[in-house]
Amino acid sequence: MLGFNCVALLGLLGTFAKARSVNLPVKLEVKAALNSRTANVHLLNADRSAYPFAVTYGSCHSTDQHEAHHTLSTVHEQDTDRLVWILPEDINTSGCLSAWSASHELVGRSEQLTVNKDSRQWKKKRELDQATRLSKRESILMTNASGIDAEGPWFDGVEMLKEKKIGAVSVKQAKAKKIAIVGAGMAGLMTFLCLNMSGFQNLEIIEAGQRLGGRVHTAYLEGGPFDYQYQEMGPTRFPETIQYTGSNETLPINDQRLVFQLADVMNQLNKGHPNFTVNFIPWIQRSPNGLYYFNGIKKPNGLPPTVTEVTNNKNLTAQILIDPLVTSVSDLITDLACDPNTTAAAAKNIFTAHKAWLDTGLGGLGGDDWSEFAYIHNYLKYSLNVTDQALATVPGDGENSFWDFIYECGYFSATEWRTIDGGLNRLPYSFYPHVDSITKMDRSIERAEFLPKTNQVQLSWKKRFTDIEFQSATYDYAMISVPFSKVRSWRFPNTLFNPTLRDAISAVPYTAVCKARLSVVSLPVLSCSHQLQVALQFETRFWEHYEQPIFGGCSTTTDIPGIGSICYPSYKLNATGRGVMLASYTDGDFGLRFSSLTDEEHVQYVLNAMIEIHGPAARKQYTGRYNRRCWLLDPLETASWASPSIGMHKLYIPAYFKTENNMIFIGEHTSFLCLGIWHPGKCAAPARAWLGRRSQGHNADIYGSLHKYLK
């Protein structure tokens, strides 16, 4: 009977406490389950008379503040609407939050809370605590030393708040911070989306040019997107699936899903408006009838043999004597880079695959510790001559990590590809309704200065390059997605960076590519970099009417210097009317050398090569319209994509995860992978922060946005 009365009495006390908490002036609420070591405590409709008050955790029946298990914080400001609660390891699994006035009177109490210490997140944090301890700092340093795997899978930055002194937080004030996003390429646009959808509204995008998209650049030689007279002068397509040779299963390439998911989000935000819809169509990566034009060999019909014919008949190629030892080393390199297990691992999770390569690649030597040349010559002890000849048969020039070759071997083995109907410009264009009012065009930043007195960043520019005086604006934070190839020409008055970040800005090398496109109809346009592209327009798609027709693909190759890859459109196959060919895509040394030519000289050179390869139809049907783009000569880019040398991944990436002088650097150059958008011969470079090491990707932007959010 006594036991029954005790239970009944406790029940009555609980009912009384609950009824009493309803009438208290401070309302405390935790909306999410307590499954991890951090939580948000919401302060609802607190009466003004209650301030200041302390918030504690302890028994739901306590009448004395000193009986609390621990104190969360003291709230002084009336506009505070949320607290960050760091749950200690020894917390009781059942209890209530209580608010106490300055005179230690109870002024608020939550519902009874249950802490789940058996959750995965709780156990993960306990293991992390045993391995490393985070020292007290002004900000959360996202480095390996602080327990974050900076080069590996997604980190859980919130868990790093364990030993940081957290006080009352005004969400409205925090999200009212004025943030500049410098650069309106895909990295900047993705950063805008992440911050905007997280509640940050005081955002301003600063773009030096007059368009959105950065290195995502579709050239419309005639009409608009759906006149289908275009070629991509930047990234071109997205690999979607790959067949794993170990089991013949088809695997999705998961990191590419970021691009497809982004398109879905933008379509939802734009409510299917036809002007801003992003739709994907198949991309043809390889054509069995692509032409193989080397050593001047042609068939009786005047055309070079196809790649299929060359594969089946070696007499259609010039026979070149190769040292068997060189062949052996070339095969060794290919086996290393194209290992099916590595390819499958990268398709499933590119982050863990990259981290495994850094840690255990090259048989445990460390994948980013040996360049291709050093591994073959210095470690495997092959001669300089054999090393030089073997490296000439594989991608790269020997000075970089094998990771480039691993990535390209895996992803260029994709079985299915996608591109965007109407051109990749459709993706950045889908942001226009959301960013037009907050974007400042034609504003090329030249200086960035941290102002310690106000804890702000001042960005400066000139309206005209002949101006003497600078125009300036101040921001609480600056998210800088501008390529380091451009940032290294900025000035940072009275602003010092950590030497590692400083060196990254000045030292990360960039690749050069040039494209030339000939179109059946288009107006001349120029822009250039080490990446050089030329698109040409013709009166018909004559290549689709060969006896062995070429439908799409970048399979036509040649040894004509400076031409590189030749790509045919994958859209509107068998269409009548004019057509646009990517007549030249080249990079590296040729991209650099040919960028010195004038538009007219380079385009004529490319046209002559197309006539030599495709016959007189190319001469007769050329409309005179072209687009030539050299990213090296583009004043807003001055390069194609970042190409870190050996060791730079391990050294520089952790530096990008730090906020220095209220600046956060994002963009494809700050990521560690080749991710989303692809050029014909290389991964593209629109947003490593959005899409990958050369693409770019969204990942660095998400990292950067999360880092800003935690700050």
Side-chain angles (χ1 to χ4, degrees), residues 83 283 368 491 551 595 611 669:
L83 301 178
W283 164 275
D368 203 34
R491 299 179 69 176
F551 292 108
S595 64
I611 295 169
H669 47 288

Side-chain angles (χ1 to χ4, degrees), residues 76-118:
H76 297 276
E77 300 177 2
Q78 295 184 12
D79 60 351
T80 300
D81 55 6
R82 191 179 305 181
L83 301 178
V84 178
W85 181 16
I86 309 300
L87 284 68
E89 173 65 29
D90 62 348
I91 190 173
N92 298 325
T93 56
S94 179
C96 289
L97 293 168
S98 301
W100 308 90
S101 70
S103 58
H104 307 294
E105 295 181 2
L106 184 68
V107 293
R109 180 157 286 165
S110 70
E111 298 285 337
Q112 184 169 342
L113 304 173
T114 300
V115 180
N116 181 11
K117 288 188 176 183
D118 294 323

Side-chain angles (χ1 to χ4, degrees), residues 531-587:
Q531 175 185 337
L532 183 55
Q533 298 151 284
V534 177
L536 305 177
Q537 187 189 45
F538 299 92
E539 293 291 350
T540 70
R541 298 187 179 197
F542 59 83
W543 52 87
E544 294 183 354
H545 303 292
Y546 289 153
E547 182 179 348
Q548 295 166 297
I550 304 173
F551 292 108
C554 297
S555 298
T556 292
T557 55
T558 179
D559 59 357
I560 298 177
I563 296 300
S565 299
I566 301 168
C567 301
Y568 309 92
S570 292
Y571 53 79
K572 293 296 180 181
L573 302 179
N574 272 323
T576 59
R578 296 167 173 173
V580 182
M581 176 195 300
L582 178 57
S584 174
Y585 175 100
T586 188
D587 62 359

Side-chain angles (χ1 to χ4, degrees), residues 72 485 521:
L72 280 67
S485 57
V521 183

Side-chain angles (χ1 to χ4, degrees), residues 448 480 492 495-503 505 659-663 665:
I480 300 172
F492 295 90
T495 303
L496 299 178
F497 291 104
N498 179 283
T500 303
L501 179 58
R502 179 196 64 205
D503 291 347
I505 293 173
T659 300
E660 294 193 28
N661 303 305
N662 286 14
M663 302 180 206
F665 291 92

Side-chain angles (χ1 to χ4, degrees), residues 80 93 113 170 230 235 303 321 357 360 362 395 419 424 649 661 676 689:
T80 300
T93 56
L113 304 173
S170 170
Y230 66 82
L303 291 176
L321 294 177
W357 173 254
T360 62
L362 298 177
T419 189
L424 265 65
H649 280 172
N661 303 305

Side-chain angles (χ1 to χ4, degrees), residues 273-294:
H273 193 293
N275 288 348
F276 305 106
T277 299
V278 180
N279 293 319
F280 291 91
I281 58 175
W283 164 275
I284 301 172
Q285 176 64 16
R286 303 174 190 85
S287 170
N289 294 332
L291 303 177
Y292 184 88
Y293 185 55
F294 286 78

Side-chain angles (χ1 to χ4, degrees), residues 241-242 251-256 342-350 353 411:
T241 62
I242 190 169
L251 301 174
I253 301 176
N254 284 324
D255 60 84
Q256 301 297 310
T342 303
T343 298
K348 294 176 181 178
N349 190 324
I350 192 70
Y411 280 25

